[in-house]
Amino acid sequence: MDAEELITKYAAGERDFTAILLCEANLSRIDLSGANFSEAILSLTNMSGTNLSNANMRKAKLNVARLSGANLHKANLSGAILNVANLIRADLSEAKLVEATLIRSELIRANLSSANLTGANLSEADLREATLREANLEQADLSGAHLRGAFLTAANLERANLHRADLSRADLRGVNLCNAELRQANLSQANLSGADLRGANLRWADLSGANLTGADLDEARLSGANLYGANLSNVNLLNATLVHADLTQANLIHADWVGADLTGAALTGAKIYAVSRFDVKADDITCDWVDLSPNGDRSHIQRFTPEESQRFFNATPPTVQIIVDRPLDPDANFVLAATYRQIARQYPALNHPPSIEVNSRRTIISFRIEQDEQLFPTAFVAIIPFSDAAFTQKNLITLIKMIQPQSGNNLGVRVSNMVVQLNVALTKTMRKIGEMKIQPIRLDREPMSSFFQSPTQTVLANSSAETLMIHYHPDFGRNLTNLPGVNKTSISPAIKAQRFTTPPLNTVIEFVKSFYQLGE
């Protein structure tokens, strides 16, 4: 059958051309919509501008075929072979290309929106500026493919192979690249905001200047990746591997990288406001300075020596620890949880519940916080449920007053500014507590547990692992509540009479100076 005979039969209403052999024929700019070319051999055939919408071309051979500008809307090309085919500006929207082979095919500016390319082989294909919005490319082979400037919004590329692919300046918003292979891929200036990159392999990928705002990179592998100037704000980098990655001047504001491995990474100039420095591995990093300003405008620059940068990025979480000289019983546990719940509703800074460790003798209540500056206000609020509250709070105020710049203690400018900030934060907290309304928790049975009248210690630990004792009840360790004839009411006079020896001035100053490794 030649081209003229096929056209005649189609015009007469025939649609079944299964397995025909028609190589090097000219079928350009004609209407063949809905025709059945399954298993047909159409290599080198010219179908430029041809209407093949809804055509069945399953397992057809179209090697080096010319299909530029062709209408293949909703065509079935599953299992078809289109190696080195010319599909420039072709309309393949909603087409089926499951396990099709398009090695080195030309798809420049082609429309593949909502097309199904599951398992397709597009290695080294030219898809520059192609539209693949909501296309399904799960497990597709796009190794070495050219996708510069392509539109892949909300496309599914789960487990796809994009090794060495060029995706520079591509629109990948909301794309699914979960467990995708992206080694040495070029993603410079690409828009990956909201993308799912969980478990993706991005080793040695170029992501310089890329927009990854809100992307999910949980357990992604980014060793050796170039993230220079990339926007990683609000990104999930939990347990990600960033060994020797270049994060120079990257925007990491509000990023979450707990459990990440940053060994050997470059972080000079990174914007890390509201980024936890805890539970990350950051050995041998390179970092001369970071931007700690909320807007990334360099209004708060922190400079480091090599030793200081290692300490800064290998910090321990600041902790407020209340040690109660009595084991926690079920009634006390209920009251404690209910009281902290009331406090958190009125004082959001305490909205994370504490960890509680109970042994046969004592209870340790630990509040883990994100910033050293929150230590004093958090301790001021956390002690509220206990009878020791008034004394602990008084001690906190005393310690802050001890180190006020006007006290003649020769504080440097930076430490003085920090002390002023601490004083302001504590004053605001005191005002907030004065406005709080905490309803007493009543139990069905009495007497109430004496847990909250027990002696306590309050200890602060900052991000440099320096500790400061805020309160120590003089009867702590004597376990008065278990002595015969002693009850919660008889403890009150002992509490009222307690005294606390404040730490030496230099101890308090050094504790505050170690916030963010402050020095002059």
Side-chain angles (χ1 to χ4, degrees):
M1 183 184 299
D2 58 22
E4 186 175 343
E5 185 180 355
L6 185 149
I7 294 168
T8 301
K9 287 185 176 182
Y10 182 88
E14 189 171 337
R15 295 292 182 268
D16 189 2
F17 303 100
T18 302
I20 66 165
L21 175 61
L22 195 66
C23 295
E24 300 185 52
N26 185 3
L27 295 168
S28 65
R29 303 186 184 282
I30 60 174
D31 183 9
L32 293 169
S33 59
N36 183 2
F37 289 105
S38 59
E39 300 185 22
I41 300 174
L42 298 160
S43 298
L44 296 166
T45 297
N46 182 2
M47 292 180 165
S48 300
T50 300
N51 183 2
L52 290 156
S53 59
N54 293 293
N56 181 3
M57 305 182 83
R58 187 174 176 274
K59 293 187 178 181
K61 293 182 179 178
L62 292 142
N63 291 319
V64 203
R66 292 177 59 186
L67 289 151
S68 56
N71 182 359
L72 289 149
H73 175 65
K74 289 190 175 181
N76 184 355
L77 288 148
S78 294
I81 301 173
L82 295 115
N83 295 330
V84 203
N86 182 347
L87 288 149
I88 295 172
R89 294 180 183 272
D91 182 1
L92 287 147
S93 57
E94 299 183 64
K96 288 184 180 179
L97 290 136
V98 177
E99 296 185 354
T101 304
L102 296 109
I103 299 170
R104 287 188 292 158
S105 58
E106 294 181 277
L107 288 146
I108 299 168
R109 297 189 179 180
N111 182 5
L112 290 133
S113 298
S114 301
N116 188 350
L117 291 131
T118 304
N121 188 345
L122 291 139
S123 59
E124 298 186 45
D126 194 342
L127 288 142
R128 284 174 293 168
E129 298 183 32
T131 301
L132 294 116
R133 292 186 179 96
E134 299 183 9
N136 187 357
L137 290 141
E138 185 174 355
Q139 289 189 282
D141 185 354
L142 288 146
S143 56
H146 304 279
L147 287 146
R148 181 181 176 85
F151 302 91
L152 291 123
T153 312
N156 179 16
L157 286 146
E158 185 171 354
R159 292 177 291 169
N161 181 3
L162 290 141
H163 179 216
R164 292 183 179 272
D166 182 0
L167 290 145
S168 56
R169 299 186 181 277
D171 186 347
L172 293 150
R173 289 174 294 168
V175 72
N176 179 4
L177 283 159
C178 186
N179 294 310
E181 176 60 69
L182 288 150
R183 278 178 304 137
Q184 297 174 290
N186 183 359
L187 289 148
S188 62
Q189 305 295 321
N191 188 346
L192 286 145
S193 58
D196 184 352
L197 288 148
R198 290 173 298 162
N201 186 359
L202 288 147
R203 289 189 176 102
W204 307 107
D206 184 358
L207 288 145
S208 56
N211 181 4
L212 288 139
T213 307
D216 191 346
L217 287 146
D218 192 342
E219 296 190 354
R221 290 158 285 172
L222 291 139
S223 296
N226 180 5
L227 289 148
Y228 186 101
N231 187 348
L232 291 150
S233 58
N234 295 290
V235 159
N236 175 12
L237 283 162
L238 289 170
N239 301 310
T241 305
L242 292 141
V243 177
H244 294 294
D246 186 357
L247 288 152
T248 304
Q249 296 189 35
N251 181 357
L252 287 149
I253 294 174
H254 291 290
D256 188 352
W257 60 11
V258 171
D261 188 348
L262 294 156
T263 303
L267 285 150
T268 296
K271 301 171 184 179
I272 59 167
Y273 176 78
V275 177
S276 175
R277 298 174 294 120
F278 319 123
D279 300 320
V280 295
K281 186 177 181 181
D283 300 329
D284 302 318
I285 62 167
T286 301
C287 186
D288 298 329
W289 60 276
V290 291
D291 185 350
L292 294 169
S293 56
N295 300 316
D297 56 9
R298 302 193 182 185
S299 58
H300 184 182
I301 296 294
Q302 180 74 50
R303 300 189 183 278
F304 306 111
T305 64
E307 294 76 17
E308 288 171 340
S309 66
Q310 298 302 314
R311 291 200 302 271
F312 184 87
F313 285 102
N314 287 281
T316 56
T319 305
V320 173
Q321 193 173 81
I322 299 170
I323 306 168
V324 186
D325 198 22
R326 186 182 179 90
L328 184 69
D329 59 74
D331 287 347
N333 186 36
F334 173 80
V335 174
L336 186 68
T339 303
Y340 278 140
R341 182 171 180 266
Q342 288 189 67
I343 294 171
R345 285 182 167 182
Q346 301 173 71
Y347 188 78
L350 210 71
N351 59 1
H352 293 296
S355 62
I356 300 176
E357 180 185 342
V358 184
N359 57 40
S360 60
R361 190 174 174 83
R362 291 177 185 148
T363 303
I364 302 171
I365 303 166
S366 301
F367 288 88
R368 174 173 163 168
I369 54 182
E370 291 298 318
Q371 296 180 332
D372 290 315
E373 296 94 327
Q374 297 171 355
L375 281 167
F376 289 90
T378 301
F380 202 92
V381 177
I383 195 65
I384 285 176
F386 299 91
S387 294
D388 277 359
F391 287 92
T392 305
Q393 292 169 345
K394 182 180 177 181
N395 294 340
L396 283 162
I397 296 168
T398 300
L399 291 173
I400 291 293
K401 286 181 177 178
M402 281 174 59
I403 55 173
Q404 290 300 308
Q406 64 268 25
S407 300
N409 43 30
N410 299 317
L411 298 178
V413 175
R414 296 169 70 192
V415 181
S416 296
N417 290 338
M418 175 61 73
V419 172
V420 171
Q421 292 175 29
L422 292 174
N423 190 38
V424 170
L426 193 58
T427 301
K428 288 181 178 178
T429 300
M430 292 165 62
R431 188 181 301 118
K432 184 68 177 177
I433 288 176
E435 299 169 354
M436 287 169 59
K437 296 179 180 179
I438 307 298
Q439 298 295 326
I441 309 300
R442 304 290 183 187
L443 296 178
D444 294 335
R445 58 184 180 276
E446 294 291 344
M448 168 68 83
S449 165
S450 58
F451 177 80
F452 299 98
Q453 286 77 39
S454 300
T456 65
Q457 292 182 40
T458 300
V459 182
L460 309 185
N462 64 24
S463 59
S464 299
E466 301 285 343
T467 60
L468 185 69
M469 179 75 72
I470 295 300
H471 175 74
Y472 189 107
H473 192 291
D475 290 322
F476 189 91
R478 295 174 62 183
N479 207 12
L480 288 175
T481 54
N482 290 334
L483 295 177
V486 177
N487 56 39
K488 62 181 180 181
T489 57
S490 65
I491 295 174
S492 296
I495 294 174
K496 291 178 181 178
Q498 64 181 287
R499 294 290 183 269
F500 173 70
T501 303
T502 56
L505 177 62
N506 287 340
T507 300
V508 184
I509 291 173
E510 289 302 316
F511 181 78
V512 174
K513 283 181 69 174
S514 61
F515 288 9
Y516 295 120
Q517 291 78 46
L518 287 171
E520 299 301 324

